[in-house]
Amino acid sequence: MSNSNITVLKFGGTSVKSIGRIQHVGEIIQGRCKSGKVLVVVSAMGDTTDYLIKLAKQASDSPDAREMDQLLAVGEQISITLLTMSLHRMGIKARSLTAAQVGIFTENVHNKARIVDVKSDSLMNALKTNDVLVVAGFQGITENGDVTTLGRGGSDTTAVALAAAVNAICCDIYTDVDGIYTADPNVITGASLLNQISHEEVLEMSRMGAQVIHPRAVELARQYKVPLRVRNTFKPDHGGTLIDGGDNMEIYRTVSGVAIDRDQASVAILNVPDKPGIAGTIMQTLAAQNIVIDMIMQAFHPTMGKNSITFTVHQSDLDQTIAALNQIKSELGASEVLSDPDIAKVSLIGAGLAGQPGVAAKVFNTLGKNSINIKMIATSEMKLTCVVSQADTEKAAQLIHDAFELKAVVQNERAYTDIRESEKIYQAIHELEALTRKYIDGVIETRDAAAAHASF
Ligand code: ASP
Ligand code: MG
């Protein structure tokens, strides 16, 4: 539970793309600082990070990882200062801070470092004389004083880490969409906005390519119980989607969405001996290079007495993965390392998926009837993933979204909730009322409470 009156707001690259947009963000911040101190985290302006990466690649075929971080951190340093200047112009006491100035310590890994510690005392001190602190997202610092970055999209993680460190009331992630949908509304017809979703589901969605919020941020929020909302910078009165602890598992829907991940590639190591230790060696080699893999499958070829091990990696890790595997290929006794970059993952996600016998049949039949070939399959508690070829991605996702009637999921859920007169619901209403009172007491703008009430 929070014991401070600090709110954390994070604005993504599109929200601070230009000075005009930075001024708009300034107005949102101005509204929010009426009810307490505000910590703001910003990304780099627009496509700055992509631009910097492009420059680095022109300077060197394989830019040094340390220098890369030193360069990329500049992007966020531009936006924190410009936003702070805008806030000053509005008469707000604000100050910009880099990760080094705050003390956002990370492990000593470049390009995708994880946060080890955030020094909240520096923030608390700076808040004594300021109403708003604008902190650079995405960057960190090692014990030795080297600049690190947290990986693409890492500013969300910075925001949640700060919220956890100062025990903030909530962490609002402002972006350019209304919240979390059952599927990408730009791709899927009938995708609908979810009022609320559990951490677990949103984690599955974002891991599967739904790019609304960074998975590491959601994990951190779950771990430190930071109330997290995804909201639209351009519709500040809109309540967005609340990502909550999932205590009310029973009132959650069976299926929450369909996610697409096009940035995947598959890798297969063919004909390794069928003996203990092989899979371990492969995974350890990749883990040592911080490569995240998924959908690991092992197939035994009885006639040859050999195994093939197949898995998926992020496309940006493909070259590194192949190079690493080629190095251990002869040690493993593998005949070949193959890769397929022409794949995409389409996943059905839902907290209620586990133990539902008809789900897999429905997904596979839906794809089969429409002549979509499934290249790989994986299931877990909350998701069912099919790997299909890139060309089939959107069609597959739309078919699954339609088959599970996700267009109507929010309406159905409302009707379902309305007729349930269980104690659990009454208790939730009481909690909501208590929360509303707290909001009216000026902790958060009253209109948020109204939005929360309306969305209930
Ligand atoms: N600017 C960084 C990126 O584009 C971090 C972020 O936006 O969250 O990846
Ligand atoms: Mg960005």
Side-chain angles (χ1 to χ4, degrees):
M1 271 286 115
S2 109
N3 57 13
S4 73
N5 71 335
I6 304 170
T7 297
V8 176
L9 311 178
K10 183 262 171 178
F11 296 92
T14 47
S15 304
V16 294
K17 193 176 164 180
S18 61
I19 297 297
R21 288 197 174 178
I22 286 177
Q23 279 163 352
H24 171 70
V25 163
E27 281 159 23
I28 296 177
I29 296 168
Q30 187 173 42
R32 299 298 294 264
C33 55
K34 286 183 190 130
S35 44
K37 304 271 182 179
V38 179
L39 280 183
V40 179
V41 172
V42 281
S43 296
M45 293 171 75
D47 299 329
T48 306
T49 310
D50 291 327
Y51 175 67
L52 293 173
I53 292 172
K54 205 170 108 193
L55 287 182
K57 287 191 175 152
Q58 284 168 18
S60 158
D61 289 339
S62 52
D64 179 77
R66 179 189 178 275
E67 300 310 318
M68 195 67 169
D69 277 354
Q70 187 103 306
L71 172 69
L72 294 188
V74 174
E76 273 68 14
Q77 236 155 291
I78 296 173
S79 45
I80 55 169
T81 49
L82 294 174
L83 176 57
T84 305
M85 290 172 195
S86 289
L87 292 171
H88 288 165
R89 199 169 75 169
M90 299 167 76
I92 297 169
K93 281 193 207 140
R95 188 181 179 143
S96 71
L97 294 168
T98 62
Q101 288 166 334
V102 173
I104 303 176
F105 287 96
T106 71
E107 56 185 351
N108 193 8
V109 169
H110 286 289
N111 305 159
K112 46 182 152 184
R114 282 171 301 191
I115 297 174
V116 181
D117 192 21
V118 174
K119 298 285 173 218
S120 60
D121 36 331
S122 61
L123 293 167
M124 293 317 224
N125 270 333
L127 280 177
K128 283 183 191 148
T129 48
N130 291 283
D131 292 325
V132 179
L133 299 178
V134 184
V135 179
F138 177 55
Q139 51 178 259
I141 185 141
T142 67
E143 254 177 14
N144 312 327
D146 274 332
V147 175
T148 52
T149 61
L150 310 181
R152 298 306 305 269
S155 300
D156 292 348
T157 304
T158 307
V160 178
L162 294 189
V166 302
N167 215 357
I169 298 164
C170 68
C171 179
D172 282 4
I173 306 287
Y174 282 91
T175 178
D176 53 359
V177 295
D178 289 353
I180 297 170
Y181 285 80
T182 53
D184 183 347
N186 299 314
V187 178
I188 302 300
T189 315
S192 55
L193 183 69
L194 297 165
N195 302 319
Q196 192 182 14
I197 187 167
S198 66
H199 291 106
E200 287 75 13
E201 287 169 305
V202 82
L203 267 173
E204 292 292 9
M205 283 193 186
S206 48
R207 277 211 200 86
M208 288 302 114
Q211 295 305 336
V212 178
I213 183 164
H214 206 253
R216 274 166 59 190
V218 180
E219 247 158 45
L220 210 56
R222 175 173 61 175
Q223 199 178 337
Y224 290 92
K225 302 202 179 339
V226 176
L228 194 59
R229 275 191 300 185
V230 179
R231 314 183 62 174
N232 193 336
T233 310
F234 308 103
K235 295 183 198 165
D237 294 334
H238 199 294
T241 301
L242 174 71
I243 302 172
D244 80 357
D247 299 334
N248 302 321
M249 218 47 168
E250 281 194 16
I251 60 170
Y252 271 110
R253 53 201 90 87
T254 311
V255 173
S256 285
V258 176
I260 291 173
D261 189 353
R262 288 188 192 79
D263 300 328
Q264 293 289 316
S266 67
V267 177
I269 305 133
L270 302 186
N271 304 317
V272 290
D274 181 34
K275 62 174 201 205
I278 299 285
T281 307
I282 295 171
M283 297 312 149
Q284 198 183 333
T285 305
L286 300 175
Q289 303 200 19
N290 245 1
I291 296 170
V292 179
I293 62 166
D294 192 22
M295 293 186 79
I296 308 165
M297 302 194 315
Q298 175 171 283
F300 178 58
H301 306 299
T303 47
M304 293 188 290
K306 302 252 183 188
N307 285 325
S308 287
I309 296 177
T310 310
F311 54 85
T312 56
V313 289
H314 197 268
Q315 253 177 26
S316 61
D317 285 334
L318 182 59
D319 291 346
Q320 202 185 340
T321 304
I322 294 172
L325 293 177
N326 276 328
Q327 272 195 351
I328 57 165
K329 191 173 119 183
S330 51
E331 178 197 329
L332 290 174
S335 68
E336 222 173 329
V337 177
L338 294 180
S339 65
D340 182 2
D342 174 37
I343 64 157
K345 286 181 188 170
V346 177
S347 306
L348 179 67
I349 288 152
L353 275 187
Q356 297 267 358
V359 172
K362 194 166 178 175
V363 170
F364 303 156
N365 280 333
T366 303
L367 298 181
K369 265 187 248 151
N370 289 278
S371 312
I372 293 176
N373 188 40
I374 305 170
K375 296 187 180 194
M376 291 167 88
I377 297 167
T379 57
S380 68
E381 278 275 291
M382 287 194 196
K383 75 168 186 258
L384 189 145
T385 304
C386 295
V387 166
V388 297
S389 53
Q390 293 258 353
D392 289 332
T393 317
E394 288 168 17
K395 191 175 164 200
Q398 184 74 59
L399 286 165
I400 296 172
H401 196 271
D402 293 347
F404 286 86
E405 291 170 34
L406 283 166
K407 185 180 176 182
V409 73
V410 179
Q411 287 137 276
N412 288 345
E413 183 174 303
R414 280 230 180 97
Y416 184 57
T417 308
D418 287 346
I419 56 164
R420 281 177 52 130
E421 297 188 7
S422 71
E423 248 176 51
K424 215 168 184 175
I425 301 293
Y426 282 125
Q427 195 189 329
I429 291 168
H430 283 140
E431 273 169 21
L432 198 63
E433 276 167 6
L435 205 63
T436 310
R437 275 197 296 279
K438 205 165 126 198
Y439 282 177
I440 292 170
D441 285 341
V443 184
I444 300 179
E445 297 155 291
T446 42
R447 62 168 183 230
D448 290 359
H453 230 136
S455 72
F456 182 68

